[in-house]
Amino acid sequence: MDNRRPPLAPAFHSLPEYVHHWAQATPDRRAFTFVDHPAPDSRGVHRTLTWRRLDMRVRAVAARLAEEAEPGARVALLCPQGLEYVTGFLATLAAGLIAVPLYPPGLPGQGDRLTAVLADARPSVVVTTSRHLGEVQEWCDRVVAVDQVPDAAARDLEPADAEVAYLQYTSGSTRTPAGVEISHANVVANARQALSAYGADAHPVTCVGWLPLYHDMGLVLSIAAPVVRGLLSVLMDPVAFLHEPARWLRLLAAHPRALSAAPNFAYDYCASAVTDAQKADLRLDGVVALINGSEPVRPGTADRFQAAFAGQGLVAETHCPSYGLAEATVFVSAARPGEPVRRFALDRDALAEGKALPARPDDPRAVLLAGCGTPVGQQVRIVDPVSGDRLSEGEVGEIQVWGPNVGRGYWNQEEQTRRVFGTDGRLRTGDLGTVLEGQLIVTGRLKDLIVLDGRNHYPQDLEATVQDTHPAVRRDRLAAFGVAGGSGERVVVVAEHTRTTSLAEIDVPALVRAVRAAVSGRHGVRLADVLLVPPGTVPRTSSGKVSRALTRERYLAGAYAADGTA
């Protein structure tokens, strides 16, 4: 049965070696299941690969790719979410090639990024499916459709001699996307670290995910970790989640000891969008861990999600705030399942001065942050971002990481590699944080920091105030940023209005006045400009985070003036 604990695997160098091991040790166990939703009312159509079948498909596609490219060449994955993506990724690694996890052309809002990444990676081959073959052939001369490679092509392959497994392109939230070189050793180490952090190394779990497989968290938690531990991974399409979030919850309920991950907005989305009728047949008491990462983790979100689904048996201690980044493969630190979310109310003024001092939770000038637990198998330090000196507990500085999961550097970017990865193995994350009571607390990003009259202001802090001021502001779909002015930096907010409200129904001047007053009163910041824009107007990265840098760029270019907003 699939809920038995898989036998322990010996340590292997690469993910394809683990696939081959499980194909021999447990050939008929389910490895990957993709749940498709072909119609709006679909409850899901399941397709499954056993470990034996996955191994055969990986060896077949790897042999085909080896005919098209020399070892070390890049292979761009322009597959839709599904089993073909899993097979194509693992086959690329098995062939000794370097995978570039991407997505098919046509993903809304990501066309420019796809063009930029392909120009940077210069792939020799593109992997896709027959359904996308026509559109993908415009991007590369050599294209392999995974579902058109016959089983008969499978042959035994020697373990890959290449060091680099894939290029994980950053989301581009603060800069142009850069390809992080992730080695075979990096991804295996990070998979083991994540498994240990969430208790999946000692107890069997089912990985359930809708995160895109081209995203670092989706790739490691839905492919790498299950492959290393021999666990079942159940996948669904991100679009299917966005159309009906209850689908994700039904998959969690359907699988024993489910472990899953999502960004902060997804939990708020489920709490507000899942109906009582959809909750009626849900039982979530079997969920062991819900990872919250990839953007600021808000304690209030965990509270709203728990309140919404406590009646379905959800245990509060399943919520696991986490921190990671592409340069560290993904996982850095996490709160452990079975422990309550650690909450920290910090004095806003002290935080602006680089000190994490406690405040009363009900103080209007308090900043509420979640603890992101502790690292596993790596070291995390807080240092002064200028001098590099290590800071004491409670002091805010740059988060630096050491460990076997830290990538080799950026593809074809030597200067940036030296600056970020250094020469001593230390990763400068560019993220700000502190340590309190043994917990890592992430406070923001260096490049996003707004400095006014010598004081630091975190944009996500301003954004939280704005979205709490008026119900017409769409949650987590707004950006606060600084722009140069005649007398110093000016602060601008660009916010989407909710989908359920048209612009004509909103008293925009009153909303702007309320927002200005709230930000001035709570933060002592005068907003130079407040723009209310239609849903979908504030740009997001490939991982779903708001791109403040691109929003600022569009604002300066006058892109929002034509929207007729305030």
Side-chain angles (χ1 to χ4, degrees):
M1 297 293 292
D2 289 300
N3 59 356
R4 293 179 311 178
R5 179 179 301 181
L8 294 177
F12 291 112
H13 171 69
S14 69
L15 297 182
E17 291 176 88
Y18 279 99
V19 171
H20 190 61
H21 166 79
W22 296 120
Q24 294 178 316
T26 59
D28 297 322
R29 287 174 60 91
R30 290 181 294 166
F32 288 88
T33 293
F34 179 66
V35 184
D36 194 14
H37 296 85
D41 59 347
S42 172
R43 298 283 289 191
V45 178
H46 293 59
R47 293 174 54 215
T48 295
L49 291 175
T50 63
W51 288 106
R52 181 189 351 238
R53 181 76 181 141
L54 175 63
D55 180 55
M56 176 178 286
R57 294 303 302 153
V58 167
R59 290 188 291 110
V61 177
R64 178 73 177 84
L65 291 173
E67 296 173 358
E68 294 289 340
E70 297 294 324
R74 276 78 60 210
V75 176
L77 297 168
L78 271 60
C79 293
Q81 190 98 336
L83 300 180
E84 289 80 9
Y85 202 114
V86 176
T87 302
F89 173 75
L90 293 170
T92 301
L93 273 55
L97 304 171
I98 300 174
V100 185
L102 289 167
Y103 39 82
L107 187 68
Q110 298 301 323
D112 291 344
R113 179 178 185 272
L114 181 61
T115 300
V117 170
L118 290 175
D120 185 67
R122 302 188 305 278
S124 299
V125 185
V126 166
V127 169
T128 189
T129 61
S130 54
R131 183 162 62 92
H132 292 274
L133 198 56
E135 56 187 323
V136 166
Q137 284 174 331
E138 301 177 9
W139 295 76
C140 186
D141 294 334
R142 295 183 177 181
V143 180
V144 173
V146 173
D147 51 336
Q148 290 184 352
V149 178
D151 290 349
R155 61 181 176 85
D156 292 335
L157 299 168
E158 293 295 324
D161 195 31
E163 187 169 356
V164 178
Y166 60 98
L167 303 182
Q168 182 65 66
Y169 275 81
T170 59
S171 63
S173 59
T174 58
R175 58 176 178 262
T176 302
V180 183
E181 296 183 6
I182 302 298
S183 71
H184 290 277
N186 289 154
V187 67
V188 169
N190 204 228
R192 289 188 174 279
Q193 290 165 339
L195 288 165
S196 177
Y198 302 117
D201 58 339
H203 305 283
V205 301
T206 302
C207 297
V208 177
W210 57 266
L211 290 176
L213 296 177
Y214 57 78
H215 182 241
D216 48 12
M217 187 182 293
L219 188 66
V220 170
L221 290 177
S222 289
I223 297 181
V227 163
V228 166
R229 187 67 181 92
L231 304 170
L232 171 63
S233 179
V234 180
L235 304 167
M236 63 179 284
D237 195 291
V239 175
F241 165 75
L242 293 173
H243 283 173
E244 188 181 318
R247 291 167 169 165
W248 175 44
L249 303 181
R250 284 197 289 266
L251 287 182
L252 291 174
H255 292 89
R257 294 189 57 80
L259 178 151
S260 193
N264 197 84
F265 88 86
Y267 295 100
D268 269 326
Y269 182 39
C270 286
S272 62
V274 176
T275 67
D276 289 340
Q278 291 170 330
K279 294 179 184 179
D281 58 351
L282 277 179
R283 290 304 305 170
L284 299 175
D285 49 335
V287 177
V288 295
L290 291 173
I291 302 161
N292 186 335
S294 82
E295 60 184 67
V297 180
R298 306 186 194 279
T301 295
D303 294 339
R304 285 188 289 273
F305 188 81
Q306 179 61 31
F309 299 103
Q312 283 62 55
L314 183 69
V315 178
E317 288 75 18
T318 61
H319 211 78
C320 300
S322 303
Y323 167 71
L325 68 165
E327 287 82 352
T329 307
V330 64
F331 170 80
V332 172
S333 71
R336 304 299 191 261
E339 300 177 0
V341 174
R342 297 291 300 276
R343 306 155 190 274
F344 296 87
L346 304 178
D347 182 88
R348 179 176 283 107
D349 292 335
L351 203 58
E353 299 296 330
K355 301 289 184 181
L357 299 180
R360 296 194 319 275
D362 58 349
D363 188 330
R365 298 188 65 80
V367 178
L368 301 178
L369 298 173
C372 290
T374 56
V376 171
Q378 52 193 300
Q379 297 179 36
V380 172
R381 291 182 183 176
I382 308 298
V383 305
D384 184 288
V386 177
S387 68
D389 293 337
R390 188 170 184 177
L391 299 178
S392 302
E393 180 165 315
E395 293 185 289
V396 177
E398 184 179 20
I399 302 170
Q400 292 193 352
V401 179
W402 291 259
N405 54 299
V406 172
R408 290 162 39 95
Y410 294 112
W411 173 256
N412 282 341
Q413 296 192 34
E414 293 183 9
E415 182 178 346
Q416 190 176 350
T417 294
R418 284 194 296 270
R419 181 175 58 82
V420 175
F421 291 84
T423 58
D424 55 0
R426 293 189 298 174
L427 170 63
R428 297 191 58 176
T429 67
D431 292 320
L432 292 167
T434 188
V435 174
L436 283 177
E437 300 174 15
Q439 294 275 311
L440 176 66
I441 302 170
V442 183
T443 60
R445 296 190 184 96
L446 269 170
K447 288 193 174 184
D448 284 343
L449 205 61
I450 300 170
V451 183
L452 298 173
D453 301 322
R455 287 175 56 81
N456 296 332
H457 297 274
Y458 295 97
Q460 69 271 20
D461 197 13
L462 303 180
E463 291 158 4
T465 296
V466 172
Q467 69 184 17
D468 289 342
T469 298
H470 199 286
V473 176
R474 191 179 181 198
R475 300 192 69 84
D476 295 319
R477 292 294 184 270
L478 69 164
F481 50 88
V483 297
S487 58
E489 195 162 41
R490 301 161 57 242
V491 182
V492 174
V493 170
V494 177
E496 295 181 7
H497 64 75
T498 57
R499 291 189 179 277
T500 56
T501 309
S502 69
L503 196 60
E505 298 174 287
I506 302 171
D507 185 341
V508 176
L511 182 149
V512 171
R513 286 195 299 271
V515 165
R516 289 185 190 277
V519 172
S520 176
R522 178 167 290 186
H523 305 275
V525 171
R526 179 185 178 277
L527 296 179
D529 213 350
V530 179
L531 298 179
L532 194 65
V533 299
T537 307
V538 175
R540 289 185 289 161
T541 69
S542 60
S543 61
K545 293 178 285 188
V546 166
S547 175
R548 298 186 184 98
L550 187 52
T551 306
R552 178 180 182 274
E553 181 182 314
R554 291 184 180 180
Y555 169 82
L556 293 174
Y560 298 113
D563 293 328
T565 52

